[in-house]
Amino acid sequence: ILNVEQSPQSLHVQEGDSTNFTCSFPSSNFYALHWYRWETAKSPEALFVMTLNGDEKKKGRISATLNTKEGYSYLYIKGSQPEDSATYLCAFIAGGYQKVTFGTGTKLQVIP
Amino acid sequence: EAGVVQSPRYKIIEKKQPVAFWCNPISGHNTLYWYLQNLGQGPELLIRYENEEAVDDSQLPKDRFSAERLKGVDSTLKIQPAELGDSAVYLCASSSGPGTGNTGELFFGEGSRLTVL
């Protein structure tokens, strides 16, 4: 079983604050790293698909970085808004059989 | 384009009863996953199909859980008999991987929430 960890487990921030959280994964046999956003009562949706060491992706106020050599990825949210409240999941995809292993998620609550 | 469809959305049963969940993946997606999601935890893989073949079912509790994907399209996950600890959300996802240049992005259904009393 692959070890994929996310921290913090939960986070409360004020509207307008910037925040970031971490996903740690094995530094060997890397194929891809995904970030998903899971809003309550909805399906998880992909935010970013990252494949190369040093990748930086951005979508509006949300961005992510990837370090495959040391096995971590950061997700940043600039100027948090209430609609950013969700659980953010990372998923590590190993090479070969492309096993997809999810972290436990970071639950973000943005307080208006 | 239609997304991944799951049914039922909610199911309440008494322990020792059977239950079945159905998933219709996105058209053309060869890979189908069933995940279990307990409160406060990330999704845990139960089984992964490539077309009609189960290529990873190492985490599926085979004494009570079974799954099938006839014809490599729709899939059914069954629990018989259900136990109290099976209360969770069962997520189905599909992707077009694996393959050259494919990063395996997963598309999820809305999940089936099971409550076992």
Side-chain angles (χ1 to χ4, degrees), chain B residues 48-67:
Chain B
R48 175 177 137 233
Y49 284 94
E50 295 297 338
N51 298 303
E52 64 273 13
E53 183 183 358
V55 297
D56 186 352
D57 63 356
S58 57
Q59 301 292 101
L60 188 72
K62 298 183 182 63
D63 56 336
R64 297 183 301 106
F65 286 65
S66 64

Side-chain angles (χ1 to χ4, degrees), chain A residues 8 10-21 61 77-86 88 106-112:
Chain A
S10 64
L11 195 55
H12 291 76
V13 301
Q14 289 292 134
E15 181 176 353
D17 286 351
S18 295
T19 187
N20 65 86
F21 20 95
R61 295 178 291 98
I77 302 178
K78 184 178 179 181
S80 302
Q81 299 296 308
E83 59 264 31
D84 297 328
S85 298
Y88 292 82
T106 293
K107 186 172 184 178
L108 174 67
Q109 183 78 29
V110 181
I111 304 164

Side-chain angles (χ1 to χ4, degrees), chain A residues 1 9 31-32 34 36 38 41-47 49-51 89 93 96-105, chain B residues 9 33 35 37 40-43 45 48 56 58-59 89 91 97-110:
Chain A
I1 296 178
Q9 189 172 357
Y31 185 84
H34 298 173
Y36 292 85
W38 193 0
K42 294 185 179 180
S43 314
E45 290 185 345
L47 279 173
V49 172
M50 310 181 82
T51 56
L89 294 163
I93 293 83
Y97 290 109
Q98 293 206 359
K99 189 176 182 69
V100 181
T101 304
F102 281 88
T104 52
Chain B
R9 286 291 311 278
Y33 306 81
Y35 281 92
Q37 199 260 335
Q41 298 182 21
L45 181 69
R48 175 177 137 233
D56 186 352
S58 57
Q59 301 292 101
V89 176
L91 286 166
T100 301
N102 174 45
T103 52
E105 177 184 353
L106 272 62
F107 294 82
F108 285 88
E110 293 182 308

Side-chain angles (χ1 to χ4, degrees), chain B residues 19 21 34-36 46-47 57 59-68 76-83 85-88 90 114 116:
Chain B
V19 64
F21 306 112
W34 282 102
Y35 281 92
L36 165 70
L46 289 171
I47 190 167
D57 63 356
Q59 301 292 101
L60 188 72
K62 298 183 182 63
D63 56 336
R64 297 183 301 106
F65 286 65
S66 64
E68 60 183 11
T76 303
L77 177 71
K78 297 179 181 177
I79 308 174
Q80 182 170 11
E83 297 179 352
D86 296 331
S87 296
Y90 293 83
L114 174 66
V116 182

